[in-house]
Amino acid sequence: MTTKLSALTGRNNYFEDFSVGLVIRHARGKTMEPLENVLITNLVMNTAQGHFNEDAMKASAFKQRISYGGVNFSLIMGLASQDTCENALAELGLDNIRLMQPVFHGDTLYAYSEVLEVKDADREDAGEVTFRHYGVNQRDEQIFQGDRRVLLKRRSHWGDR
């Protein structure tokens, strides 16, 4: 028995499903755990003490460790991916990355996305979509904004027929 690859992805996230102005509120949220922040901060050799030195941060304006921005926007992009990029053939670009509020251990992040542009690609089995991803915390404060351009499969070529 063989399973078509298209059966493993969503049915409403092909190129044809997106139009300019569409806004998607993504279903899942993710609480920022010390594990994500400290592990990735150390893996990328970010030496800013604000991410891993609790004692030093007690004397700061924040009074606690802050999460590394790379972790914050990666989580938002991940929360958005199932609905927007699951059928991507390629990531074409990330642009206009803005980190707007600090994120602390224990904050829960949520994402939503807006379609900025939909256009044909230089191949007939895919098209380009540009999304603006937004991240908010549990208080609905915007913590992130960034644009992502992807090459998405066309249902006409990749979907079940």
Side-chain angles (χ1 to χ4, degrees), residues 2-61:
T2 59
T3 300
K4 285 188 137 200
L5 286 178
S6 61
L8 302 176
T9 60
R11 298 187 182 276
N12 62 350
N13 54 15
Y14 287 92
F15 172 76
E16 295 91 341
D17 296 312
F18 297 104
S19 59
V20 172
L22 175 68
V23 175
I24 304 163
R25 180 81 181 194
H26 305 293
R28 293 178 181 85
K30 172 69 177 91
T31 300
M32 178 62 68
E33 302 291 344
L35 171 68
E36 287 102 4
N37 178 47
V38 175
L39 175 65
I40 295 173
T41 299
N42 287 322
L43 288 174
V44 300
M45 297 175 55
N46 184 325
T47 60
Q49 291 198 90
H51 304 308
F52 57 82
N53 186 332
E54 190 77 35
D55 185 54
M57 290 308 289
K58 286 178 185 175
S60 76

Side-chain angles (χ1 to χ4, degrees), residues 19 72 78 93 117 128 146 150 161:
S19 59
N72 303 345
E117 183 179 33
E128 291 183 26
V150 295
R161 297 178 206 234

Side-chain angles (χ1 to χ4, degrees), residues 60-109:
S60 76
F62 297 114
K63 306 291 185 215
Q64 60 184 312
R65 285 182 284 173
I66 57 175
S67 177
Y68 167 49
V71 174
N72 303 345
F73 84 73
S74 294
L75 284 177
I76 298 301
M77 296 278 200
L79 290 168
S81 288
Q82 182 178 9
D83 297 326
T84 60
C85 304
E86 188 175 55
N87 279 310
L89 294 169
E91 293 268 2
L92 301 175
L94 296 173
D95 203 2
N96 303 315
I97 302 299
R98 295 178 56 209
L99 302 168
M100 303 154 114
Q101 295 277 342
V103 173
F104 302 100
H105 298 173
D107 281 353
T108 300
L109 305 182

